[in-house]
Structures are given as C-alpha cells and as structure tokens.
Amino acid sequence: MQKQHAVVVHHLVYNFYIKKHMKIGIIYAMEEEIRAYYYNVKKFKKIQNETYGINIYISNSNKIILIKSGIGKVSSSIACTILIHTYKVHIIINIGSSGALKPYINISNFIIGKNISYHDVNLTSFQYKIGQIPGFPQKFNTNIFLRKQIKKILYKYKITFWEGLIISGDIFIHKSQDINKITKNFPDAIASDMESAAISQICFQYNKPVLIIKIISDDTNKKAPLIFKKSIQNISIQSYKIIEDYINIIKKLYKIGNINKNL
C-alpha cells in the first residue's frame, strides 16, 4: 500500500513539474532547414558549443532549444544526447529534409515518420533483422500523440503529407543500386534521411517521446544532388509556420495538463 501511495505521489509531483518546466528540443541537421524559424521568432540566443562544433539556440523562456547537429548519425546522436542530458528536454522533434522513395510523393510534401529504421545496418549473419542493432527493435516507433497533433496542423493548412516508414543511414540516396537495395529490404519505406534513426534510437534508450517531421527535398534519383541544392532553401520557409503552431499547441496542452497521460 505504501509503495502504491509513493508511486501516485511521484506521478503527481512529476506531472506538476512537467507543467511548470516542460522543455522541447528541436534537432535539425543544417542551418538552411530551420533558419526562418529563429529569425522570424527572434526570441533566441545563440550558443556555440566549441567541444562538439554545433550551434544551439535557446528561447528567452529557456523552454525551446534548437540544436544544429550537423549531418549524419553520429552528429545527430550527440545533439540528441546533449538535449536530454544538458538541457533536460521532455520532447524531441527532428525536422529537416528527406528524399522520396515513392513515385507518388512530390517535392515539398511533408513526411511524418510513423516508424524509423536504419538501412545501412546489416547483422543478418547473426539472425538479426536487416536494419536491427542488437538489443533494439528493427523499427523505432515515434509518439502517436505527437503525430496526431502535427497532422491537425497540416490538415489546417491543407498541406500534402504522408505518414509511414522512414529509413535512415549515412548515405545520400541517389544511385540506382542504393535505391534498389533499399526498396528490396524496406518495400514500405516512403522516405530516406541521414539522422532520424539515430535520434529515434537515443530517444528509445532514454524513453523520450519523439516526433520526426521531414520535407521532401529530392526524389532519390541521379539528379537528386542538384534538386536538393535548389529546394533546401525552401525547407526552412515551409517549416517555419508549422513548427511555430505546433509548439504553441504542445505548450497549451501541457499548461492545461492534457498531455502528460498521452505521452
């Protein structure tokens, strides 16, 4: 009975703390991907982390932390760990560019990652599934409640989006042999990137709710590098209003205590 009482008290104290001190961490790989957000909001101070060579932007309220991780799995893992350990965030959002893996998905469409997997991990010789790291699932699930809230905003602005499997690895996908290999191993995958699986694994380890939002910048063919360079500048503009609205919704839900039970 005492143990049950202690659990209830702990839960109540934790919920009260979250409502008062909730922090959101946003990870983006490139400056171009979210530049419009902190330029337009203009309520952020910039911190240069010389140890890891990354840029951190902290809101005046200290409740929103943007971090430019750099490209790839290792860089994004470091950024995610900094957000969790140093800044004690409660929610992780990863936003950025990705390549389309389905012909019906167009440039500028939004992608919501329902589950995330590595495409460049192969330990099948040891009876693991393709993309699976020992001790972890093959696919990391993102938070259902956070996905539900972002979909409301995308519907509101009548933005075309797709929800499904994102595959991730340290390869910019544009060669036919890479595409063929990925589509064979992950026929349901709708988009590819270079950070989301590593971020999802860190969040899985630390039991942090995560949301993965991507905007299609190319269609993973031989022209992808050129298309990417042209479209990356628009990613920040497209994501700015969406992220601003989303953060406002999450903060409002926290304030009225209507989110803790859903995460």
Side-chain angles (χ1 to χ4, degrees):
M1 187 67 180
Q2 286 181 333
K3 185 177 180 180
Q4 289 179 326
H5 178 70
V7 170
V8 171
V9 171
H10 173 78
H11 183 70
L12 290 172
V13 170
Y14 179 75
N15 281 351
F16 176 78
Y17 177 84
I18 289 293
K19 286 167 68 176
K20 294 291 184 181
H21 304 281
M22 182 272 299
K23 292 183 178 180
I24 299 173
I26 303 176
I27 303 171
Y28 58 103
M30 302 170 63
E31 199 80 12
E32 294 90 338
E33 292 175 333
I34 204 167
R35 180 180 292 155
Y37 179 73
Y38 62 78
Y39 278 177
N40 281 280
V41 176
K42 295 180 180 178
K43 294 179 181 178
F44 289 87
K45 54 187 176 183
K46 183 177 179 179
I47 297 174
Q48 181 74 36
N49 189 312
E50 296 180 359
T51 303
Y52 300 107
I54 58 179
N55 294 333
I56 301 170
Y57 299 87
I58 304 176
S59 67
N60 292 341
S61 65
N62 292 320
K63 292 187 176 181
I64 303 171
I65 299 93
L66 312 179
I67 187 166
K68 182 180 75 67
S69 65
I71 297 170
K73 295 184 293 187
V74 174
S75 296
S76 57
S77 296
I78 292 171
C80 191
T81 305
I82 288 173
L83 285 175
I84 293 170
H85 274 286
T86 304
Y87 294 100
K88 313 296 182 186
V89 301
H90 302 99
I91 293 173
I92 298 287
I93 299 172
N94 172 223
I95 185 164
S97 58
S98 66
L101 291 173
K102 298 296 183 185
Y104 54 80
I105 300 178
N106 299 315
I107 304 296
S108 297
N109 284 181
F110 274 63
I111 301 293
I112 301 174
K114 184 177 182 180
N115 33 49
I116 319 292
S117 185
Y118 293 106
H119 66 72
D120 58 354
V121 170
N122 189 337
L123 290 169
T124 53
S125 298
F126 299 94
Q127 287 72 56
Y128 291 99
K129 296 177 181 179
I130 190 73
Q132 183 180 16
I133 291 177
F136 295 93
Q138 180 196 29
K139 298 173 183 177
F140 299 99
N141 296 323
T142 57
N143 187 268
I144 296 174
F145 184 77
L146 296 181
R147 295 203 312 268
K148 182 179 178 181
Q149 304 311 312
I150 194 66
K151 284 188 281 187
K152 288 179 181 178
I153 296 173
L154 295 176
Y155 281 129
K156 171 185 172 182
Y157 289 109
K158 297 180 180 180
I159 293 173
T160 301
F161 71 89
W162 309 90
E163 184 177 25
L165 172 64
I166 297 175
I167 50 94
S168 187
D170 283 331
I171 304 171
F172 181 82
I173 305 299
H174 68 286
K175 295 181 179 178
S176 58
Q177 59 264 37
D178 293 328
I179 299 168
N180 293 337
K181 182 179 179 181
I182 286 169
T183 52
K184 178 183 177 182
N185 291 333
F186 298 96
D188 297 332
I190 61 174
S192 67
D193 81 329
M194 299 177 68
E195 294 82 31
S196 61
I199 291 169
S200 298
Q201 181 181 340
I202 296 294
C203 289
F204 179 88
Q205 287 181 277
Y206 287 98
N207 195 29
K208 295 291 182 182
V210 62
L211 174 70
I212 308 293
I213 313 167
K214 299 292 175 177
I215 304 173
I216 296 299
S217 58
D218 60 86
D219 47 10
T220 60
N221 59 31
K222 61 183 180 181
K223 294 182 179 179
L226 180 61
I227 297 171
F228 174 82
K229 289 178 182 178
K230 290 182 177 180
S231 61
I232 189 64
Q233 302 297 333
N234 296 322
I235 298 292
S236 179
I237 298 170
Q238 287 179 280
S239 64
Y240 156 58
K241 187 62 180 173
I242 302 301
I243 290 298
E244 184 181 35
D245 281 14
Y246 186 73
I247 288 174
N248 287 336
I249 285 178
I250 294 299
K251 288 196 296 185
K252 186 181 295 183
L253 289 171
Y254 263 110
K255 191 174 291 185
I256 63 175
N258 196 27
I259 189 172
N260 303 333
K261 60 181 180 293
N262 293 295
L263 291 177

